[in-house]
């Protein structure tokens, strides 16, 4: 598996000029795992993006206005989210998520409402970061909100697991707890890959050996049946009390027939 060491030693003072280290002949290649950014939905746990925003609707503060409902088209357009800015449309999307999880109309500070509000902000910033990847302030804010939401989810998971599962289902989230820190090292990873490769080789060898035994099983059962019959016959001819009964011979014959039937069904 390993090549031999080859050293060039100076004949005068015995100094090693060059050494070739041990090199493995195994075809195992280690590639450094790709780093997933903290703001990426794969890591944050947001399985779906922000719902499409209806920019023609008025902001939350004007939705109950009777005058706006009876106003003409131009006035409604001026007071729409499309005219006033995306920030007001994001508030509508946030309110839609909050309405899914709030306990009542006066629920503004519960843990579920806070998580829903953070989820809307996270998804909005994720969409913004796709179009503006150099916006460092948004990236920092996004990371902070994701960490805060993880703390809220961890708290809810500890104290009310049923509500935690219900909240994940309603907000279409997946909870990713903070993994234990482990430094990525090439040598350690190569050891794991080598161990995995050895297990695969062992499993492959065992499977081949099992197949070989299955192929020889019919021959073995026939030989066993013939040997039992011959041994019983010899004992009877020698006048010795037989140690092999008819049940043993019948059992061996039954095993042979069952194996033939099983093999024919597999084919």
């Amino acid at each position: 598996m390993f090549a031999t060491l080859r050293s060039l030693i100076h004949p005068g003072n015995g100094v090693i000029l060059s050494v070739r280290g041990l090199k493995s002949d195994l075809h195992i290649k280690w590639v450094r795992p790709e780093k997933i950014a903290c703001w990426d939905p794969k890591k944050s746990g947001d399985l779906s993006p922000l719902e499409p925003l209806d920019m023609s609707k008025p902001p939350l503060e004007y939705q109950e206005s009777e005058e706006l409902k009876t106003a003409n088209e131009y006035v409604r357009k001026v007071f729409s989210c499309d005219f006033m800015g995306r920030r007001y449309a994001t508030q509508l999307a946030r309110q839609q998520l909050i309405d899914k999880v709030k306990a009542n109309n006066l629920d503004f500070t519960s843990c579920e409402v806070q998580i829903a509000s953070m989820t809307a902000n996270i998804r909005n910033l994720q969409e913004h970061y796709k179009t503006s990847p150099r916006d460092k302030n948004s990236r920092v804010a996004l990371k902070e909100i994701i960490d805060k939401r993880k703390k809220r989810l961890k708290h809810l998971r500890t104290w009310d697991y049923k509500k935690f599962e219900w909240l994940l289902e309603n907000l279409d989230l997946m909870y990713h707890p903070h993994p234990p820190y482990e430094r990525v090292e090439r040598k350690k990873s190569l050891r794991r890959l080598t161990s995995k490769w050895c297990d695969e080789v062992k499993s492959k060898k065992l499977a081949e050996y099992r197949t070989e035994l299955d192929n020889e099983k019919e021959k073995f059962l026939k030989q066993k049946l013939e040997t039992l019959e011959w041994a019983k016959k010899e004992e009877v001819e020698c006048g010795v009390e037989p140690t092999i009964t008819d049940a043993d011979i019948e059992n061996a014959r039954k095993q042979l027939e069952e194996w033939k039937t099983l093999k024919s069904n597999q084919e």
Side-chain angles (χ1 to χ4, degrees):
M1 181 181 293
F2 295 99
T4 57
L5 287 173
R6 188 170 60 186
S7 306
L8 297 178
I9 303 177
H10 194 276
N13 51 16
V15 178
I16 298 177
L17 299 180
S18 64
V19 177
R20 188 179 70 180
L22 296 175
K23 292 186 178 180
S24 174
D25 296 333
L26 303 178
H27 300 288
I28 297 175
K29 184 179 180 181
W30 178 75
V31 180
R32 183 174 291 275
E34 181 182 359
K35 185 177 180 180
I36 302 177
C38 61
W39 53 266
D40 195 293
K42 296 178 182 177
K43 196 167 185 178
S44 66
D46 293 274
L47 301 179
S48 61
L50 198 65
E51 295 182 1
L53 304 177
D54 188 1
M55 305 297 287
S56 62
K57 287 186 177 181
L60 288 174
E61 54 191 20
Y62 297 117
Q63 282 191 353
E64 302 298 330
S65 174
E66 296 294 336
E67 292 82 359
L68 190 60
K69 293 179 181 179
T70 58
N72 58 32
E73 179 183 357
Y74 298 102
V75 174
R76 290 199 300 269
K77 185 176 181 180
V78 169
F79 282 90
S80 66
C81 294
D82 191 12
F83 189 84
M84 301 185 71
R86 182 181 174 84
R87 179 166 63 92
Y88 295 94
T90 306
Q91 292 177 358
L92 289 178
R94 185 187 301 113
Q95 189 62 37
Q96 289 177 2
L97 288 180
I98 291 175
D99 291 340
K100 291 181 179 180
V101 299
K102 67 180 182 180
N104 49 63
N105 293 331
L106 300 178
D107 185 8
F108 302 109
T109 58
S110 65
C111 188
E112 303 86 55
V113 171
Q114 292 180 22
I115 292 172
S117 178
M118 292 178 186
T119 301
N121 293 337
I122 288 170
R123 293 176 180 176
N124 182 42
L125 287 175
Q126 283 174 344
E127 291 183 2
H128 169 72
Y129 195 74
K130 289 179 182 178
T131 57
S132 304
R134 294 189 178 183
D135 191 352
K136 295 183 179 180
N137 294 330
S138 298
R139 183 176 61 187
V140 173
L142 180 57
K143 183 178 179 181
E144 291 177 353
I145 299 174
I146 290 175
D147 290 339
K148 287 181 181 179
R149 187 180 67 177
K150 278 189 177 181
K151 291 181 180 179
R152 294 287 191 278
L153 287 171
K154 183 180 179 181
H155 173 79
L156 186 62
R157 185 173 183 263
T158 304
W159 294 103
D160 195 343
Y161 190 79
K162 289 185 178 180
K163 187 172 289 186
F164 168 78
E165 290 287 344
W166 171 81
L167 184 68
L168 293 184
E169 184 178 356
N170 279 275
L171 297 181
D172 200 11
L173 290 174
M174 181 177 290
Y175 177 65
H176 295 300
H178 288 286
Y181 175 75
E182 183 179 1
R183 184 178 178 182
V184 179
E185 298 178 0
R186 180 177 177 273
K187 184 180 291 186
K188 187 186 297 184
S189 302
L190 281 174
R191 286 174 181 168
R192 291 178 180 174
L193 290 174
T194 304
S195 177
K196 182 180 178 182
W197 182 83
C198 292
D199 292 340
E200 291 176 355
V201 171
K202 183 173 68 175
S203 301
K204 183 180 179 182
K205 294 289 184 182
L206 288 174
E208 292 176 355
Y209 184 58
R210 191 178 295 109
T211 304
E212 183 180 353
L213 290 178
D214 289 342
N215 294 333
E216 296 180 357
K217 189 172 183 179
E218 184 176 354
K219 180 181 177 181
F220 168 76
L221 291 175
K222 286 181 180 179
Q223 187 177 0
K224 177 183 177 182
L225 179 61
E226 293 174 357
T227 304
L228 290 175
E229 292 176 346
W230 173 82
K232 183 180 179 182
K233 182 180 178 182
E234 288 292 324
E235 288 177 346
V236 172
E237 290 179 355
C238 293
V240 181
E241 184 179 356
T243 58
I244 300 172
T245 62
D246 294 335
D248 296 335
I249 298 175
E250 189 63 29
N251 189 22
R253 184 178 288 107
K254 185 178 179 182
Q255 289 179 355
L256 179 60
E257 294 297 330
E258 288 178 353
W259 176 252
K260 287 182 179 180
T261 305
L262 180 62
K263 194 172 181 181
S264 61
N265 292 335
Q266 290 178 353
E267 293 176 354

